[in-house]
Structure formats: structure tokens, C-alpha cells
Amino acid sequence: MTLISPACRDALQLWLERLGGLEDASANTLTAYRGDVTAFLAFMTQHSGGPQGLGALSRITTADMRAWMAAERNSSTGARSLARKLSAVKNFYRWLAEREGFEPAAVLLARSPKFQKKLPRPLAPEAARAVLETVELQSQQDWVAARDVAVVTLLYGCGLRISEALGLKGAVAPLPPVLRILGKGRKERVVPVLPAARDAVARYLHLCPHPQEADAPLFRGVRGGALNPRQIQGVMARTRAQLGLPATATPHALRHSFATHLLEAGGDLRAIQELLGHASLSTTQAYTAVDTTHLMEVYNKAHPKA
């Protein structure tokens, strides 16, 4: 294993601690950043023939950056993954350059590879309804079945991320007509809760054998601990297999479906942005492309001259 100098290792740890503390980056983000930047530093160690101290890192050239990116592409790293890795490296370098007082132009001016952004893959409205009806059949325990229905109903009925749904505490029960959700980047948003979602959560709580506690997770695993996201992913996998849905029918696809179905029904894009908790309208605008794709499919199938 290629060694990274202690100074670089310490700097990386300080940067990650800053991201986690001041910017409230998620654990998954920190893990990904650590892996991406560590691999970059390891490459530069090999590329230069020796451990890279902070001084050497300040002298990285455009040619060095091109060599790293070429090596990544040669190892079958896709354009999207390479763009993510480059973003992590640039983020680290901005912080490091400010801390150490050097000019990071060679790194920051490296051009990100172009790639076509994947559009969200929502379920059709009838497929979303079928999922809600079929999830309950995947467990033999009534309370577990009710729990899974409650979670999935929140994902589709409120547009929650799975981490947001499973992050709810017992204090929110019984669910109010409106929830305050703390999403990515500690961005708070207000989300209306449909009666169907409130009823589903109430039924789950009525059947749940574990005591309801204000500070405990709202959704419990079989042994009473916090419900693991993999459990819901597994329920969705069994449900889509039973219904013959594609592999894209994941828990997160229910959030996409929430947004797309609102847009198709005439929902305002900025209102949908607020409901989803997107920091930028450009993120929400991906759903307009989905809607346009749907319209073109209808046009091509239905128009006599298509």
C-alpha cells in the first residue's frame, strides 16, 4: 500500500473534521471524500516517486493533474465518478491553499469531464399505488408490515429522503398536518403530511411492540433499535420483483415520483423545490425534463402523424 506522508494525513483529517463540524457534511459524504482524496494523494506519491509533503502538494502542476485524470480513466473510472473525485480534490485544495498560503491554480483549473446527467426515474402513478398496496405483503409480522407501509407512504406522500423518514423521532407522533424536516446541509423545510401518511404512521404505532419514546427513533427495527435503510431497500426490492417493476424502482424513486406527479398535475416548480428541500432551482428543473420526456412519449404514441 502506498504511504501518504503524516503531514498530508493530518491535513486531510483536519479538513474532514471541518466539513463535519462547520458544514455539517453527512457521514457518507465524509467517507466518500476521504477515499477520493486519499487515492489522489497516493497517486501523487507514486507519480513523484516519494511521499508528498505539504510543500510538494503546493507544487503540483497541470501535467500532474492530467496524469492523475488519465490514470483514473485508464482504470475504468467513468466520467461521472471522475467528476465527483475531482470535485473532492478541489474542495480539499481550496482549504489547504488558504491554510498553507499557496496558489492552487493547477488543481482548481483542471477541467471536469463532461457527462450526461441522468434524469430521475419516477414510477408511473399506477405503479406507485401498486407499490403502496404490495409492500404490506412482504412481511408476516403485522407491525413490521405496517411499519414498512408507513415509511414508504412518507417517501411517496411527502417526498422525504429515506434518511429523513428514518431520522424522525418519536416526539413527532402523532404526526401533525405539517412536518419540519431538517434535510441536507441542515436546510429546514416545511412539508405537508397527507392524511393517508398520518393514518399509516398511526396504525404502525398502534401495532408496534416497542414503547414510543420522544427521543427514540420513530421507526424501529425488529429488536427495537433504529430501522436500517437496508430493510426498506430490501422491501422495495421484493415489491418490485413481485410487481415486475424495473431495478430503478427504489425507495429514492418514490421521492422522484412525488415530485414528477406533482409537476404533471400542474404543480409550481418553485413550490416543488421547497417541498423537496433543493438548495438550487436547477436541481428541481431536472423534473421538467422528465415531464417533457413523458409528453413526447404520449405525442409519439397518440398523434396520427407521429
Side-chain angles (χ1 to χ4, degrees):
M1 180 178 177
T2 306
L3 295 177
I4 298 170
S5 73
C8 288
R9 186 173 60 247
D10 292 345
L12 175 58
Q13 184 60 35
L14 283 173
W15 172 64
L16 292 170
E17 289 174 359
R18 178 183 178 277
L19 288 179
L22 296 181
E23 300 185 19
D24 201 39
S26 71
N28 288 341
T29 297
L30 295 177
T31 299
Y33 275 12
R34 183 187 294 277
D36 291 341
V37 177
T38 297
F40 172 80
L41 296 175
F43 171 84
M44 289 301 167
T45 296
Q46 276 188 324
H47 184 60
S48 66
Q52 295 282 280
L54 296 182
L57 288 182
S58 70
R59 296 189 292 273
I60 282 179
T61 65
T62 301
D64 294 329
M65 293 301 294
R66 287 174 178 163
W68 170 65
M69 295 177 76
E72 287 289 340
R73 295 308 296 265
N74 288 338
S75 65
S76 301
T77 300
R80 179 185 296 272
S81 295
L82 181 53
R84 188 205 71 222
K85 293 182 179 186
L86 180 59
S87 176
V89 169
K90 286 183 176 181
N91 196 325
F92 172 66
Y93 255 79
R94 285 191 192 96
W95 172 83
L96 186 65
E98 183 177 347
R99 180 173 178 266
E100 299 295 321
F102 66 86
E103 176 54 56
V107 174
L108 299 188
L109 293 177
R111 297 181 65 178
S112 181
K114 294 182 178 179
F115 59 91
Q116 187 174 6
K117 291 186 177 180
K118 292 182 179 179
L119 293 176
R121 289 290 193 89
L123 282 70
E126 58 274 14
R129 285 193 292 269
V131 165
L132 294 176
E133 294 167 357
T134 309
V135 160
E136 190 172 14
L137 307 178
Q138 308 310 315
S139 177
Q140 295 181 351
Q141 293 180 273
D142 288 346
W143 82 267
V144 173
R147 178 201 67 192
D148 296 343
V149 170
V151 173
V152 170
T153 304
L154 283 174
L155 301 183
Y156 178 58
C158 302
L160 300 189
R161 299 177 177 92
I162 189 168
S163 60
E164 293 169 347
L166 300 190
L168 293 174
K169 299 294 185 182
V172 302
L175 289 192
V178 171
L179 275 176
R180 290 190 176 275
I181 299 295
L182 200 62
K184 285 187 176 179
R186 301 196 66 80
K187 181 179 174 60
E188 187 180 83
R189 69 186 191 276
V190 175
V191 178
V193 183
L194 296 173
R198 292 159 63 192
D199 291 345
V201 171
R203 180 170 182 268
Y204 150 67
L205 290 173
H206 176 70
L207 296 174
C208 182
H210 304 293
Q212 181 184 335
E213 300 170 355
D215 294 332
L218 177 66
F219 294 109
R220 307 290 193 94
V222 172
R223 295 181 180 179
L227 178 60
N228 192 303
R230 287 193 294 271
Q231 295 298 113
I232 300 302
Q233 291 161 355
V235 167
M236 279 295 297
R238 295 191 294 273
T239 298
R240 68 173 176 257
Q242 186 170 339
L243 295 173
L245 297 175
T248 52
T250 62
H252 200 63
L254 294 171
R255 174 173 154 88
H256 291 320
S257 305
F258 163 84
T260 304
H261 298 166
L262 283 179
L263 186 62
E264 289 175 349
D268 176 75
L269 196 62
R270 284 203 176 274
I272 294 172
Q273 177 193 0
E274 290 297 320
L275 290 172
L276 292 173
H278 287 160
S280 170
L281 185 62
S282 62
T283 306
T284 316
Q285 283 174 332
Y287 295 101
T288 64
V290 174
D291 198 33
T292 302
T293 301
H294 171 73
L295 290 174
M296 289 305 297
E297 288 176 354
V298 172
Y299 174 85
N300 288 329
K301 288 179 181 178
H303 196 282
K305 296 292 185 180

